[in-house]
Amino acid sequence: MSKIAIIDYEAGNLRSVQKAFESLGYDAAVTSDAGDIKSAAKVVLPGVGAFGDCVSGLERAGLRETVLGVIASGRPFLGICVGMQMLFDKSYEFGEHDGLGIFRGSVKKFPDEIVKQRMKIPHMGWNSLSIKQKNHPVLNGINDGDMVYFVHSYYVQSEDAAVIAAECDYGVTFTAAAARDNIFATQFHPEKSQTTGLRLLKNFGEWKC
């Protein structure tokens, strides 16, 4: 099967993503080498931690333009967690930080009212999806109500309803997955989402766009 490059910019547990793809039979490699990323058939951008740190890490690794080039090339691209958030215009996590500007929208903190409802922040654990792009190949076999695993204190508020592939509710309705053209991205962690997550990764591995 085709090689999948998982971008290493020191922001996340990349090995768990790699192991999930390998369990499905895919040749997946963790790499910070721009040449390897540019030559891969598919590319994954994970991310764990603060938005600003992740953007800075990508820039320090010299991979910001590499990511933009992969997206522009039309090859299948998967963003995970902060890797999804960075595709939007900006984040208000610990200040204001510019993202990659691929999608219109921003990353905001869950409102304080959630805590008053005895809902914990970060939003951590299992929650259900509401599928919006029901015919998207990466969501094949994934249905409304399927459970996936989240870990985040900030959420994406998309300004373009057309890119929302799935939503989730946690006090507010937020973008759980975004997609357009060759890009698919998830706020949740598919590598931690058991059967549903592995189905999504398998669909991505098979995706021809």
Side-chain angles (χ1 to χ4, degrees):
M1 293 183 179
S2 58
K3 186 172 182 178
I4 298 171
I6 302 166
I7 299 176
D8 181 7
Y9 60 108
E10 299 184 354
N13 183 8
L14 309 182
R15 177 60 181 154
S16 62
V17 178
Q18 181 186 26
K19 287 176 66 177
F21 276 114
E22 289 176 343
S23 74
L24 296 166
Y26 289 100
D27 178 11
V30 173
T31 180
S32 59
D33 184 274
D36 289 345
I37 296 165
K38 291 175 182 177
S39 65
K42 294 179 171 69
V43 175
V44 180
L45 178 66
V48 174
F51 183 102
D53 291 342
C54 287
V55 170
S56 296
L58 196 65
E59 292 174 345
R60 282 196 305 273
L63 295 175
R64 181 189 178 100
E65 295 306 315
T66 300
V67 167
L68 293 175
V70 168
I71 291 172
S73 76
R75 278 174 290 152
F77 181 92
L78 175 65
I80 297 175
C81 197
V82 183
M84 173 181 125
Q85 294 183 355
M86 288 193 292
L87 298 175
F88 286 81
D89 290 317
K90 63 179 57 183
S91 172
Y92 295 97
E93 183 177 10
F94 304 122
E96 184 175 333
H97 307 276
D98 289 334
L100 298 176
I102 302 299
F103 296 140
R104 302 279 76 81
S106 57
V107 181
K108 300 179 178 181
K109 187 177 183 180
F110 280 109
D112 293 338
E113 287 75 13
I114 287 180
V115 178
K116 295 177 184 177
Q117 299 170 27
R118 298 185 179 180
M119 301 170 74
K120 294 181 179 180
I121 303 297
H123 172 212
M124 184 167 63
W126 296 90
N127 209 333
S128 60
L129 295 175
S130 173
I131 307 300
K132 300 303 175 184
Q133 295 188 21
K134 295 185 183 297
N135 295 319
H136 197 289
V138 178
L139 292 172
N140 181 39
I142 299 172
N143 303 304
D144 286 334
D146 283 353
M147 304 290 284
V148 290
Y149 193 85
F150 292 90
V151 184
H152 61 126
S153 298
Y154 288 72
Y155 69 96
V156 166
Q157 186 172 62
S158 175
E159 294 179 8
D160 181 2
V163 307
I164 301 174
E167 291 181 329
C168 184
D169 185 79
Y170 193 72
V172 295
T173 300
F174 65 88
T175 303
R180 187 182 65 213
D181 301 328
N182 59 311
I183 308 165
F184 196 92
T186 67
Q187 178 64 69
F188 57 90
H189 288 270
E191 77 280 7
K192 296 180 180 179
S193 297
Q194 298 181 6
T195 302
T196 299
L198 289 176
R199 179 62 184 259
L200 187 145
L201 294 179
K202 183 175 186 294
N203 289 342
F204 176 75
E206 295 175 348
W207 188 24
K208 296 178 176 62
C209 55

